[in-house]
Amino acid sequence: MKLAAAVAVFVGLAASGYSLPVEPKPWALIPDGAGHLHIVNIDPVNIPTGEDEIEPHFNPESDVVFRLYTRRNPLHPQLIRWDDPSSIMNSNFNPENPTRFLIHGWIEGEDATLHWVIKDHFMRVGDFNVINVDWGAGAQTINYIGARNRVAGVGMITSRVIDVIRATSGQSRDLINVIGFSLGAHAAGNTGKGQNGQLNSVIALDPAGRLFSRGQADILTDTDAIYTEAIYTNAGLLAFDEPLCHANFYPNGGRSQPGCITSVCAHNRVNELFAESVSTANHFLSMRCADHSEILSGRCTSSGPYAKMGGEPSNRGRGVSGVYHLMTNSAAPFARG
C-alpha cells in the first residue's frame, strides 16, 4: 500500500509539471518468467523493514523439488530426492542416457516456460533424463534481493542431487549438463562449482544482471564446467552485459530482439531460441567477433570459425570460445542457418 501510494503521488506531481529532485532510486522494474513487471527494491543495504516485508524462511534441502522426466514418463514426473537414493533407483532414470537439469528464474516455479518448452524439445530428439529444478519456494517472492541471494543454495542442493545420482547409478559427470535462465543461470553455475567444474557443460540463458558483479563468489563463471556457454538476449538491461562464459552468443546484438517491443519479451526470448536449437536441423550459425566491444558497436569483424549457438550436444570440445554475433527471425522458426 505504501508503495502504491508513493507511485500515485509521483504520477500526480509529474502530470502537474512539478519538478522532482533527482535522487538515486532503490527501486526497479524487473519481470518474472511470465513477463509480468514488478516494482522491487534492489538496494542491498537499505532494505525497508516492516511486517508486510517479512520474508519466509527458505531451506534448499527441503524446499527445492526435483522432477524427473524421460520418454517413459514425458508428462508425469517422478520425484528425485537428495536424501533418498531409492528415489533414483526406483525411477526411470537411466545412467546411460544424458542428464539435463533445467533451473528457472525469479518468481517462477514448476510451470516455468524453461521447464516445459525446453524439456519437450529434449524429448523430441532422444532419450534424456530431464530434471526440472523447482525452487519456487525461494523464487516466488517480491523480494528480489532475497531470491538473488538464494542462487548459491539452489546450486548447492542441485550439486548434492548429482552426487547421489553418481553414487547410486554410476553416471559420469561427462553426461551431465545444467541449463539455467536468468537467476537460474547463476544457480546453474553454482551447481557446477559444487562439482569442482567437472560437469560437461553449464548453459546460461540470459543470466540475470541485477545485483551481480564480477568477483562475487556466487556469480556464473567460465570455470563452472568443462564448457560454459551464455546466450544474451537482453544484455545490459535485465541480463548481465559482459561475457561470463567460454562462449558468449549475442543474437541480434544481444540487447533487443526482433518482434519484441519490451525488455521482458527480449529477456524471455532466450528460452525459445535455446529450445529450438536443441531440435532444429537449421542451426543458429554465429560469427565470431574480435571482442565484446564489437558487440556493443554492432560492427563484428569475422575473427575465427563460425559456431552454432546452443544445440544438443553442447559445443564442448569444438574449440568454441569468445564472443559471437548472429541474426534471427522475429518469430519461430527463429534460426536462419
Side-chain angles (χ1 to χ4, degrees), residues 272-295:
E272 298 175 90
L273 297 182
F274 182 77
E276 184 178 314
S277 79
V278 168
S279 60
T280 185
N282 190 25
H283 300 304
F284 289 90
L285 289 181
S286 310
M287 176 188 293
R288 190 178 191 275
C289 305
D291 53 39
H292 183 240
S293 67
E294 291 194 344
I295 296 292

Side-chain angles (χ1 to χ4, degrees), residues 101-129:
F101 285 85
L102 304 177
I103 309 180
H104 64 76
W106 182 52
I107 297 292
E108 296 181 299
E110 177 185 4
D111 59 352
T113 301
L114 169 88
H115 285 174
W116 291 101
V117 175
I118 296 177
K119 181 264 292 182
D120 288 346
H121 279 260
F122 278 118
M123 295 294 112
R124 292 180 194 176
V125 299
D127 289 311
F128 289 87
N129 307 300

Side-chain angles (χ1 to χ4, degrees), residues 194-263:
Q195 294 294 310
N196 300 312
Q198 295 304 303
L199 295 180
N200 184 306
S201 301
V202 165
I203 309 298
L205 305 180
D206 219 29
R210 296 283 187 179
L211 302 183
F212 286 95
S213 60
R214 290 185 181 278
Q216 292 174 326
D218 59 355
I219 192 174
L220 169 75
T221 71
D222 61 4
T223 61
D224 291 338
I226 295 174
Y227 173 75
T228 58
E229 177 175 314
I231 302 173
Y232 302 85
T233 53
N234 197 226
L237 297 168
L238 298 177
F240 205 83
D241 193 4
E242 300 174 4
L244 289 172
C245 294
H246 292 120
N248 304 270
F249 293 84
Y250 292 82
N252 308 298
R255 289 182 177 267
S256 60
Q257 300 301 312
C260 287
I261 60 174
T262 67
S263 288

Side-chain angles (χ1 to χ4, degrees), residues 31-81:
D32 59 29
H36 302 129
L37 287 170
H38 300 266
I39 300 178
V40 300
N41 173 44
I42 58 168
D43 186 339
V45 178
N46 299 312
I47 302 176
T49 58
E51 291 183 354
D52 58 342
E53 299 200 32
I54 295 175
E55 183 66 12
H57 179 67
F58 172 71
N59 181 357
E61 292 186 344
S62 58
D63 294 339
V64 180
V65 181
F66 297 88
R67 295 182 172 89
L68 168 69
Y69 295 87
T70 71
R71 278 188 164 179
R72 295 178 62 187
N73 60 304
L75 298 177
H76 304 290
Q78 296 173 322
L79 296 185
I80 300 295
R81 293 182 56 88

